[in-house]
Amino acid sequence: MKAADAADYRRGSATSFATVVMHLLLMLTLAVLAGCASKGPMPTFAASSLPPMSESGETIAPERWWTTFDDDGLDREVNLALGQNFDLAVALSRLRAAQAVTRIAASDWCWDVNGFSESSRTFGPGRDSSQMTWGLDASYQVDLWGQIRSRVDAERFRTSATRSDYQAVALSLSAEVARTWYSLIESYAQLKLLDEQVETNREGLKAVELRYAEVGEGGPNVLRQQQLVQATLEQMVVVRAGIEVLEHQLAVLTGQPPQIARYEPGDTLPELPPMPFAGLPADLLNRRPDVRAAYFALAAADRDVAAAVSDQYPRLNLGASIVNSAQNPETLFRDWFLSLGGQLIGPIIDGGQRRAEVARTRAVVWQRFSEYRQTTLIALQEVEDALALERRQIERIQLLEAQFKSAELASQQLLQYFITGNTSYLDVLSTVQSRQSLQRSILSARLDLIQIRIGLYLALAGAFDTRPIENNGLLLDAPQLTSERDSDAGELLPPPAGMPVDVSPAPTELPSPAAGSGTVKPAKEFDLNE
């Protein structure tokens, strides 16, 4: 019996070895049938070849760029918006979802283990019988060609792109709050100016009535002066309506009900801070969140190509199970059965589906590359536009101020001529209207200059810590502020309670390329480990 058992064992071993060899030969045959497909390199371009900016200042703007205006009111409103704006909360939810998708993709690296239990009882003419079965079943896909790694890398890149999108939303929000805040200040300044002009025009009305009362004529001139007073009052109504709308807009930006929006921002526009340093185009492209998001979308599409190429090759699935079966509770834990196995699956005929998927993902790569290039050009255009507009706006303000000085002198001289009877009232009225209109235009032009500077800061800005801070520089003590991070993937953990707002720019870890599926190499100008 022992000799027979040994012979059976040798025959079994030989059979197992032959089976393994057959599987290897089949794997190689299927790989050859799949074709030697190659992903190819990811398209890039050298940002260092771009020409420098047309002009630049010497002051480096801080990450929280709005602090350059040294306005405590603006700081308060921006911090309030960062903590309570709902558009920013939506962007944060998208980031959380992207992080969850990355963890879902990474779960394919783990064994899939399931427990099962089954119980049955048979009734018949003979003796009744029962069967109880329970155990564990496990399966695992071996990542032979790096397909799983490519999919995980693609999702990590998409998460990085979503994080950059979040930063872009935060920057746009801060700029919108600043624009609304200074528009509100300019409106109050206009209201104050119009109030002064109303008083001036009323004094002029008294002077005109007195001037023509002595001679008993001049009714049309009095009516014209009355019309000027009424027109100025009408402008005040328009400005007050604009103030209410701006207050509502600012309240919504900061997550407050617009019905209770009341602000006292003052009526003095700030002086323009020194022009910021624009830097090199390569630095700008590495810093801007929208450009980084476009680049990460390109990298994710490149990894999708690698996954599609790998899908043409065979895949190996391993399986294992441990089962306990018994007919009565007394023998429930006595008999155990262990099963191990593997399954080799490879495409032979699929109607060209996998090749078409490779072609589709490659087309998406070039689509993302064109979008990335377009985003870089738009980023450079926004900086150049802001620089040009600021330069010309300063010239415009200087010309407006020169016009106002001339109009003021002309108004004073014509008023003297009118008193002595050497000029008509229409000349005086025209000059007064021109002078008052220039005063309002200068205020509007100064607001436009600040808005242009805000656009320049936004065009140059990069990612920043979006957590609200107090004026003393300390983080606000809010229960939703958390900074827990996943230890293995560097991702933000789901919030323990409420909606967290800690999405400060974390070092971006690029996943290593999958073996046999191509290489992802960013352009040299991109320092993705900021």
Side-chain angles (χ1 to χ4, degrees):
M1 293 295 294
K2 293 183 179 180
D5 291 341
D8 291 339
Y9 177 78
R10 286 193 296 271
R11 284 195 297 269
S13 299
T15 302
S16 300
F17 179 77
T19 302
V20 171
V21 172
M22 182 181 66
H23 284 179
L24 290 176
L25 291 176
L26 179 60
M27 183 187 301
L28 293 175
T29 301
L30 292 176
V32 171
L33 291 175
C36 299
S38 175
K39 183 189 74 64
M42 185 179 76
T44 59
F45 79 100
S48 58
S49 61
L50 294 171
M53 300 299 180
S54 59
E55 63 178 299
S56 177
E58 298 180 355
T59 304
I60 297 178
E63 290 183 352
R64 302 172 76 88
W65 56 267
W66 59 90
T67 59
T68 57
F69 290 103
D70 195 21
D71 189 333
D72 293 339
L74 176 61
D75 292 346
R76 181 181 61 254
E77 297 304 322
V78 172
N79 280 285
L80 191 61
L82 292 176
Q84 303 188 32
N85 180 266
F86 291 102
D87 287 335
L88 196 60
V90 170
L92 179 60
S93 298
R94 286 196 293 264
L95 175 58
R96 297 290 177 186
Q99 292 167 347
V101 171
T102 301
R103 291 194 290 270
I104 292 173
S107 67
D108 290 339
W109 271 323
C110 302
W111 282 82
D112 187 10
V113 181
N114 298 293
F116 61 90
S117 176
E118 180 181 357
S119 177
S120 64
R121 187 173 181 83
T122 304
F123 302 93
R127 177 180 298 178
D128 296 344
S129 63
S130 62
Q131 185 74 27
M132 291 173 288
T133 305
W134 70 282
L136 298 175
D137 182 76
S139 61
Y140 177 73
Q141 180 179 342
V142 181
D143 195 17
L144 292 175
W145 315 106
Q147 182 183 24
I148 296 177
R149 174 169 290 277
S150 296
R151 291 201 302 263
V152 173
D153 289 350
E155 296 304 331
R156 283 179 174 172
F157 277 123
R158 290 190 181 95
T159 299
S160 297
T162 307
R163 181 181 289 108
S164 296
D165 288 336
Y166 174 88
Q167 289 289 337
V169 172
L171 283 172
S172 298
L173 174 63
S174 64
E176 190 65 23
V177 171
R179 290 190 178 106
T180 306
W181 179 256
Y182 288 121
S183 295
L184 196 57
I185 292 177
E186 188 267 346
S187 295
Y188 276 105
Q190 291 279 10
L191 194 62
K192 179 181 178 181
L193 176 61
L194 286 168
D195 187 63
E196 295 173 355
Q197 291 179 353
V198 167
E199 293 301 319
T200 300
N201 294 336
R202 282 174 175 168
E203 292 295 329
L205 176 60
K206 293 179 182 179
V208 171
E209 289 175 342
L210 182 62
R211 168 72 172 79
Y212 287 105
E214 298 176 355
V215 296
E217 56 185 39
N221 294 330
V222 173
L223 293 176
R224 291 190 184 98
Q225 187 66 26
Q226 289 176 348
Q227 180 185 0
L228 179 60
V229 174
Q230 293 166 355
T232 311
L233 291 172
E234 181 264 340
Q235 287 296 317
M236 293 183 69
V237 173
V238 173
V239 172
R240 287 195 180 99
I243 287 176
E244 293 184 18
V245 171
L246 289 171
E247 288 179 338
H248 299 162
Q249 181 178 342
L250 186 58
V252 172
L253 289 173
T254 55
Q256 309 298 320
Q259 300 92 322
I260 60 174
R262 296 296 182 272
Y263 299 93
E264 295 181 359
D267 53 21
T268 303
L269 291 173
E271 295 293 330
L272 197 67
M275 179 175 289
F277 176 66
L280 298 175
D283 297 332
L284 172 68
L285 300 182
N286 185 55
R287 184 170 60 244
R288 292 235 337 191
D290 55 342
V291 177
R292 291 175 62 83
Y295 174 80
F296 285 128
L298 169 62
D302 182 76
R303 302 315 298 162
D304 287 337
V305 176
V309 171
S310 301
D311 192 41
Q312 298 178 105
Y313 299 129
R315 64 179 182 272
L316 177 61
N317 297 328
L318 302 179
S321 64
I322 181 170
V323 181
N324 177 256
S325 180
Q327 294 184 352
N328 54 70
E330 290 79 7
T331 60
L332 182 60
F333 297 99
R334 188 182 66 183
D335 298 327
W336 292 90
F337 302 92
L338 177 64
S339 175
L340 300 174
Q343 183 183 42
L344 185 65
I345 304 175
I348 298 178
I349 299 176
D350 63 355
Q353 177 182 358
R354 288 173 174 81
R355 290 184 180 273
E357 178 63 15
V358 172
R360 186 194 70 82
T361 52
R362 282 176 174 164
V364 172
V365 167
W366 286 104
Q367 173 189 342
R368 295 288 182 262
F369 180 65
S370 297
E371 292 171 351
Y372 166 55
R373 290 298 305 274
Q374 182 68 12
T375 304
T376 60
L377 293 179
I378 292 175
L380 297 174
Q381 178 192 356
E382 289 176 353
V383 175
E384 290 296 323
D385 287 350
L387 292 172
L389 288 173
E390 181 171 322
R391 183 173 61 252
R392 300 304 179 188
Q393 187 68 13
I394 292 175
E395 295 178 4
R396 179 184 174 223
I397 291 176
Q398 292 173 349
L399 292 173
L400 285 173
E401 290 176 342
Q403 291 181 60
F404 174 73
K405 291 180 180 179
S406 300
E408 191 171 25
L409 291 174
S411 178
Q412 294 174 358
Q413 293 179 8
L414 286 172
L415 183 59
Q416 295 297 325
Y417 293 160
F418 174 70
I419 293 174
T420 58
N422 294 326
T423 188
S424 66
Y425 169 76
L426 290 178
D427 293 337
V428 176
L429 180 62
S430 176
T431 306
V432 170
Q433 290 176 328
S434 177
R435 179 174 59 84
Q436 293 182 352
S437 176
L438 283 170
Q439 282 181 298
R440 297 193 291 268
S441 296
I442 290 173
L443 267 179
S444 298
R446 288 176 178 170
L447 173 64
D448 292 341
L449 180 60
I450 292 177
Q451 303 282 29
I452 292 170
R453 172 56 64 85
I454 291 173
L456 178 58
Y457 282 133
L458 183 61
L460 295 174
F464 68 98
D465 191 338
T466 59
R467 289 177 291 181
I469 60 174
E470 294 177 333
N471 291 334
N472 56 11
L474 298 178
L475 289 172
L476 291 177
D477 186 14
Q480 72 271 23
L481 294 178
T482 60
S483 58
E484 300 179 5
R485 297 185 180 276
D486 192 330
S487 59
D488 58 347
E491 304 291 351
L492 295 173
L493 290 174
M499 175 62 69
V501 296
D502 175 20
V503 284
S504 56
T508 306
E509 298 180 0
L510 291 181
S512 57
S517 61
T519 303
V520 175
K521 292 184 178 180
K524 294 181 179 179
E525 290 72 19
F526 273 82
D527 180 16
L528 297 178
N529 295 312
E530 62 180 15

